[in-house]
Amino acid sequence: MQDVFQQLVWVALGSVLGGPARYFVSGFVGRRVGETFPWGTVAVNVSGAFAAGMIAAAAIGGVFPTSVAWQFAVTGFLGSYTTVSSFSLQTLALARDGQIMRAGGNVVLSLALCLSAVALGYISGSAALGVGAP
Amino acid sequence: MKPLEQARPGGRTLPETEAKQKDGARWRTARDTALIYLAVSLGSVIGSVLRAIASMAALAYLGPDFPWGTLFVNVLGSFVIGFYATLTGPGGRVFAGTRQRQFVMAGICGGFTTFSMFSLETFLLVQVGNLPAAGLNIGASIVTWLAAVWLGHILASRLNRLGGV
């Protein structure tokens, strides 16, 4: 129980930073490229997936220290940095607006880019650290 | 600007007063932005800790074969954001200011749901050669996320149209 509590504290510490980081990055990207397509959410989800892949490679290779660091960086920071709720809401908004192509594009693009990014992060992380060949 | 000019019979505001007003407006904007970030941060902590508990519980009770915990939080978070956004949006029956909306939507829902864990868990299923589970996770996730946000929106729309207070 003590262990669970300690892990939750690290999750909380990571998410204190992760949520505002998402708010900043998605807002920044949205203002730069326009709000007609949810590029801001795509940007945080893709970059977060890439980082998660890298850290997973390090963890599986044994170079990422402890489960506490994982709770902080992955469950806490990256978990709250990336978001499904905004993705869902924005896809629904596009669909309700009659922009079916954009709604479908958001789904396909988000899935394709995030899954590629996590694989790419994992592969580059493994290569950089010389561990856990994919 | 107008009331001040009226207050001064001369019809001109002093330069210092204008500068002070601009400073005041700038300070208020900075303060509002900081408070929104604070709200998002606090909401994210609540959402993330709840997500971590859900993941631990799913792992303990349902095992490590399929990422049920992540699927659960993403579906529930999508439902809540769809419901809340419509309930407090234009024409909604509940009023919520910007800070409160960002606390719930960008904070709690954003911190509760996670695209990175979904991506990573799908990738790890592929890596261990469990392609059916990986495909199922992708298909089930996208369908249930979107169904949940739509259901939340529909329910809140119904509530918005109900009579009474």
Side-chain angles (χ1 to χ4, degrees), chain B residues 83-97 100-101 159-160:
Chain B
F83 183 81
Y84 183 85
T86 300
L87 196 70
T88 63
R93 69 189 286 125
V94 174
F95 174 79
Q100 195 189 330
R101 291 193 95 213
L159 276 179
N160 288 346

Side-chain angles (χ1 to χ4, degrees), chain A residues 16 19 22 75 82 84-85 88, chain B residues 41 44 48 51 78 106 113 116 127:
Chain A
V16 162
R22 162 170 41 81
T75 311
T82 60
V84 163
S85 54
S88 301
Chain B
S41 185
S44 291
S48 290
R51 166 166 46 79
S78 294
T113 60
S116 52
Q127 212 198 14

Side-chain angles (χ1 to χ4, degrees), chain B residues 75-160:
Chain B
V75 170
L76 183 58
S78 294
F79 174 83
V80 172
I81 203 170
F83 183 81
Y84 183 85
T86 300
L87 196 70
T88 63
R93 69 189 286 125
V94 174
F95 174 79
T98 308
R99 203 182 305 149
Q100 195 189 330
R101 291 193 95 213
Q102 297 297 5
F103 171 69
V104 175
M105 299 201 298
I108 297 179
C109 294
F112 191 59
T113 60
T114 173
F115 216 117
S116 52
M117 284 311 291
F118 159 76
S119 307
L120 182 60
E121 286 160 347
T122 306
F123 173 73
L124 293 175
L125 285 173
V126 172
Q127 212 198 14
V128 298
N130 198 346
L131 289 179
L136 183 70
N137 192 35
I138 296 173
S141 292
I142 203 72
V143 170
T144 52
W145 299 348
L146 294 177
V149 74
W150 176 78
L151 197 66
H153 162 72
I154 293 292
L155 276 176
S157 305
R158 291 268 166 88
L159 276 179
N160 288 346

